[in-house]
């Protein structure tokens, strides 16, 4: 298995002017140690049917080398797929030496996010399923307690989140990439990658991603629905 020498980060955004600057700044910070380790890192921001100031926020960012794409699909799956397709087309690195790292515009990645995923890849991982934690400022005290009660913070839970997901480009392409799903595009892709022969999947809690816990979700039936509808129900209902 070839060592990773190029990383492609794709970020879908739909009306994320408020949170997008935080996301971009965190990616910029995570890119620095990866570049010092000799990797090239490309970042593609896909603005999908945005009607707010998301484009201006990207333009005013102090992070250099961002590629911006505009589409009107109103689909997080289509936005991720578009960004990855454009990024791979612009790269000279072969798919077997390229790592695709995915996060969301309402999320903040830690400084070790890229190097953690790549280290796992270089030890044999084809797919890395990372963990996320909701922004506590978006939750009530009861929700915070409930979330903590359902999570072992020392171990990965293996839940699939597009906000913290990574894969070798060769595996991504073999699985057909992201579909045009408006929700669960991450879960569906992971299922297809898992079905490929000789695939190594690693669940990791080495680099938690902070993600929004807001109520006004951009994707239907996504993480916001879980936090604000299913989480308390999960902890309140008795186990039979």
């Amino acid at each position: 298995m070839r060592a990773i020498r190029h990383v492609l980060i794709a970020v879908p955004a739909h009306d994320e002017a408020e949170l997008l600057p935080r996301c971009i700044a965190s990616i910029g910070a995570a890119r620095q140690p990866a570049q010092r380790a000799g990797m090239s890192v490309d970042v593609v921001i896909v603005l999908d049917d945005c009607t707010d100031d998301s484009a201006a926020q990207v333009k005013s960012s102090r992070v250099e080398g961002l590629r911006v794409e505009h589409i009107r699909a109103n689909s997080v799956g289509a936005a991720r797929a578009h960004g990855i397709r454009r990024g791979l087309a612009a790269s000279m690195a072969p798919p077997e030496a390229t790592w695709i790292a995915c996060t969301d515009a309402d999320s903040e990645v830690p400084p070790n996010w890229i190097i953690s995923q790549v280290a796992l890849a270089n030890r044999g991982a084809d797919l890395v399923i990372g963990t996320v934690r909701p922004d506590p400022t978006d939750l009530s005290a009861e929700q915070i307690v409930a979330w903590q009660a359902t999570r072992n913070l020392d171990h990965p839970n293996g839940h699939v989140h597009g906000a913290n997901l990574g894969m070798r480009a060769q595996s991504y392409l073999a699985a057909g990439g992201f579909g045009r799903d408006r929700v669960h595009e991450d879960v569906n892709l992971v299922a297809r990658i898992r079905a490929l022969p000789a695939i190594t999947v690693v669940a990791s809690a080495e680099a938690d991603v902070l993600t929004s816990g807001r109520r006004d979700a951009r994707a239907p039936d996504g993480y916001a629905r879980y936090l604000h509808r299913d989480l308390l129900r999960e902890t309140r209902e008795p186990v039979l």
Side-chain angles (χ1 to χ4, degrees):
M1 181 171 289
R2 295 186 62 174
I4 298 298
R5 60 185 180 89
H6 178 68
V7 178
L8 169 61
I9 301 171
V11 183
H14 172 64
D15 288 345
E16 291 287 4
E18 181 179 357
L19 296 175
L20 188 54
R22 182 183 73 172
C23 175
I24 292 174
S26 71
I27 290 173
R31 186 170 63 176
Q32 294 175 13
Q35 290 175 323
R36 288 196 295 268
M39 287 173 278
S40 57
V41 182
D42 288 342
V43 183
V44 183
I45 309 295
V46 183
L47 302 180
D48 182 10
D49 201 20
C50 290
T51 59
D52 66 356
D53 292 330
S54 291
Q57 294 296 337
V58 178
K59 188 175 181 179
S60 64
S61 169
R62 296 184 179 181
V63 176
E64 297 182 356
L66 298 179
R67 180 182 182 127
V68 183
E69 295 284 335
H70 297 264
I71 65 172
R72 299 191 66 181
N74 195 20
S75 161
V76 63
R80 291 194 200 279
H82 181 90
I84 293 170
R85 183 169 59 252
R86 293 288 193 177
L88 291 178
S91 171
M92 298 295 292
E96 59 270 24
T98 298
W99 188 256
I100 299 170
C102 298
T103 192
D104 290 335
D106 67 343
S107 300
E108 179 181 358
V109 304
N112 68 328
W113 183 59
I114 299 173
I115 58 174
S116 172
Q117 289 194 12
V118 169
L120 292 171
N122 288 336
R123 293 200 294 267
D126 300 289
L127 173 69
V128 173
I129 300 173
T131 50
V132 302
R133 53 189 171 87
D135 189 334
T137 62
D138 294 327
L139 304 180
S140 67
E142 184 182 17
Q143 286 173 306
I144 293 173
V145 171
W147 183 81
Q148 292 173 339
T150 60
R151 299 293 180 271
N152 185 334
L153 300 182
D154 295 326
H155 299 282
N157 53 38
H159 296 167
V160 177
H161 298 280
N164 194 1
L165 190 64
M167 67 217 76
R168 197 172 289 266
Q170 187 177 29
S171 301
Y172 173 85
L173 294 171
F178 283 108
R180 297 183 62 85
D181 314 82
R182 294 191 64 203
V183 68
H184 302 319
E185 80 296 337
D186 43 7
V187 174
N188 294 336
L189 174 62
V190 166
R192 294 197 302 274
I193 292 179
R194 285 182 182 274
L196 296 173
I199 288 293
T200 299
V201 180
V202 176
S204 173
E206 293 180 3
D208 277 5
V209 168
L210 180 72
T211 194
S212 170
R214 63 192 174 194
R215 288 182 177 274
D216 57 330
R218 298 298 186 269
D221 198 26
Y223 195 51
R225 178 178 175 180
Y226 168 74
L227 289 174
H228 294 284
R229 194 196 70 173
D230 299 334
L231 175 60
L232 294 179
R233 180 187 304 170
E234 177 182 313
T235 54
R236 287 171 178 167
E237 290 181 350
V239 177
L240 302 178

